[in-house]
Amino acid sequence: MTLKQLLPPNIYEVIDRAGICTVRQIVILSIWDIKKATNLCIDDILLLKNIVTDNICPISTSGNDLKKINNNQLRISTGCISIDNQLNGGLLKGTITEVYGESASGKTQLALQITLTNWAHGCVYICTEDVFPSKRFEEMKMNLLQFNPKIDYGKNIYVEHITEAKDLMSCINIRLPKLLAQNDLSLIVIDSIAAPFRCESTNYVKRAEDLREIATVLTTLAQEFNLAVLCINQVTASFEDTSSVLPSLGLAWSNMVTTRLMIKKTLKMFDATQLSKTKNQPDTCKQESYVRELLVVFAPHIPNTITQFIITSNGIQNISK
C-alpha cells in the first residue's frame, strides 16, 4: 500500500511538497525535522508516524505463542504427554533421534506409537529385522481415544522391509528422496539401523563410511523436507562397566546423532488395569506391566532427564510418579 493510499489527503499533500515521499524518511526523521520541513502541527506529525509504523511493523507475538508455533513446526509428538514434555514437545525435525535399549525394552513400541500418532502427516517405516508388526499396529490403532473405523490409518504410512546394508543405502539414496518429493511426510523410522551392519563382514572402515553416508543423507532429507528421523539401535556390552550397555555401531554413527535416548526395562511392576481399560476390555481384567524408563543420554537442546512409562494394549501410557 502506498503513502497516498495510507495517509489523509491533506497530510499527504504537505509531505509530498516537502519531498518526504518514502516510509523510511517518515520513520527516521524526528518530529522536529518533519515540523521544520512541512510546518505541520505536532498532532498531525504524530498521526503521520503512527499510521506509517502501524502498517509496516511486524505483528507482535508473545513468547508463549512463539513456543507453541515452534513446537508445532519443529517437532512431532510421540503420542505420550510425559515423553513430549521431556523432549520439549517431541522429536526435533531436521535431525536424527536415536533410541537404543536392550531386547524387549519397548523400542519398537515407541516407534509404532510415534508412527501411529503422526499417520495423518505421512510416515516412512523401514524394517531391517522382522517384518512390519502389523498385528500390533492394528491393536494399538483400535485403542486410540478417537478411533474411527471408517479411517484408513495406514494409507499414509509407507513400509519397506530391508535386510542388507547395500539395499538400505540404495533405499535412502534413491527411492526415499523420490518418495519425499512426491509426498508431504513428517517422519522416517528405521527399525533398526544396526541390523544390516552387524551381520556384515569385519571391514569396519567400509562400514564407518557407509554409516556416515547414510546419516548425512538422512540429515539432509530431514532438513530439506522438514521431517524427523527416528533410528532404533541395538546395544553392545560395555567393557568398562559390565553392568551397563552401549549403543551399537560405535563412534562413526554416534557422532552423527543429534538426540540420543535410552529405554530401560525396570523390575518394578505397575497395575495398569485402570489405565488400559477400553470398550472391549472389562473392568475386572487385571493387567500388570513393567515400568520402563526413557533417559535423555545426549541432546544439545534439552537436559538429561528420566521419564517413566508403561506399555499396555493401548500402547505407551503415562504413569504417575
Side-chain angles (χ1 to χ4, degrees):
M1 187 175 289
T2 64
L3 286 176
K4 187 173 183 180
Q5 295 171 313
L6 278 176
L7 301 174
N10 59 324
I11 295 180
Y12 176 76
E13 291 174 3
V14 174
I15 65 168
D16 188 49
R17 285 198 302 269
I20 302 174
C21 50
T22 66
V23 169
R24 187 172 185 274
Q25 287 176 296
I26 296 172
V27 172
I28 291 177
L29 290 174
S30 69
I31 294 175
W32 303 110
D33 288 335
I34 296 177
K35 180 175 176 59
K36 183 178 179 180
T38 63
N39 203 30
L40 287 170
C41 67
I42 300 298
D43 289 341
D44 285 343
I45 296 173
L46 290 174
L47 175 64
L48 167 66
K49 281 183 166 289
N50 287 337
I51 291 175
V52 171
T53 53
D54 286 345
N55 280 272
I56 67 167
C57 69
I59 299 173
S60 60
T61 306
S62 69
N64 288 333
D65 290 338
L66 284 174
K67 184 177 179 180
K68 291 178 182 178
I69 292 170
N70 286 336
N71 280 345
N72 291 334
Q73 292 179 346
L74 302 180
R75 291 172 173 81
I76 66 168
S77 173
T78 63
C80 178
I81 295 174
S82 61
I83 294 179
D84 280 350
N85 292 337
Q86 180 189 22
L87 301 181
N88 196 22
L91 301 187
L92 188 63
K93 291 184 177 180
T95 67
I96 297 175
T97 298
E98 178 193 73
V99 175
Y100 73 96
E102 295 178 338
S103 177
S105 59
K107 304 183 297 295
T108 295
Q109 300 296 315
L110 178 60
L112 279 177
Q113 176 141 328
I114 297 173
T115 301
L116 187 56
T117 301
N118 297 277
W119 72 271
H121 304 292
C123 306
V124 175
Y125 201 107
I126 301 175
C127 305
T128 63
E129 296 186 63
D130 300 320
V131 296
F132 181 75
S134 55
K135 183 177 179 180
R136 177 59 174 150
F137 181 85
E138 290 295 317
E139 182 183 25
M140 294 173 66
K141 176 188 76 175
M142 296 285 288
N143 286 291
L144 286 173
L145 291 177
Q146 298 177 337
F147 172 69
N148 185 345
K150 296 181 180 179
I151 295 178
D152 181 4
Y153 290 88
K155 67 178 180 180
N156 295 327
I157 300 175
Y158 301 87
V159 177
E160 184 81 18
H161 187 214
I162 295 171
T163 57
E164 301 292 334
K166 58 181 175 51
D167 295 331
L168 178 61
M169 295 187 66
S170 175
C171 174
I172 291 174
N173 280 304
I174 301 173
R175 298 198 298 278
L176 191 54
K178 291 181 180 179
L179 177 66
L180 294 173
Q182 297 171 3
N183 299 273
D184 187 15
L185 306 179
S186 65
L187 174 68
I188 298 172
V189 176
I190 301 179
D191 184 9
S192 70
I193 188 66
F197 294 96
R198 296 189 77 174
C199 60
E200 290 287 301
S201 65
T202 55
N203 188 345
Y204 297 113
V205 174
K206 178 65 167 58
R207 188 183 78 167
E209 292 174 351
D210 291 344
L211 285 169
R212 280 194 293 269
E213 180 182 347
I214 286 176
T216 300
V217 173
L218 286 174
T219 303
T220 301
L221 293 175
Q223 294 175 354
E224 180 181 354
F225 295 99
N226 191 34
L227 50 82
V229 177
L230 174 63
C231 293
I232 306 300
N233 199 357
Q234 299 170 356
V235 295
T236 185
S238 171
F239 289 103
E240 297 179 358
D241 184 357
T242 57
S243 63
S244 65
V245 294
L246 298 172
S248 298
L249 303 179
L251 291 175
W253 170 255
S254 177
N255 291 334
M256 306 299 290
V257 173
T258 302
T259 303
R260 168 161 283 163
L261 309 174
M262 177 182 181
I263 296 181
K264 291 174 62 178
K265 184 178 180 180
T266 71
L267 297 178
K268 294 185 293 184
M269 298 295 293
F270 185 85
D271 183 1
T273 305
Q274 297 301 317
L275 292 178
S276 59
K277 280 191 290 187
T278 68
K279 60 186 178 182
N280 299 321
Q281 192 174 53
D283 293 352
T284 56
C285 181
K286 182 176 177 60
Q287 281 198 14
E288 285 191 337
S289 180
Y290 283 102
V291 174
R292 265 83 169 180
E293 292 180 343
L294 182 70
L295 296 80
V296 177
V297 178
F298 171 79
H301 58 291
I302 51 177
N304 294 351
T305 54
I306 299 176
T307 295
Q308 292 186 338
F309 64 91
I310 59 171
I311 299 174
T312 69
S313 58
N314 295 17
I316 289 177
Q317 305 249 332
N318 304 306
I319 60 172
S320 58
K321 293 185 179 182

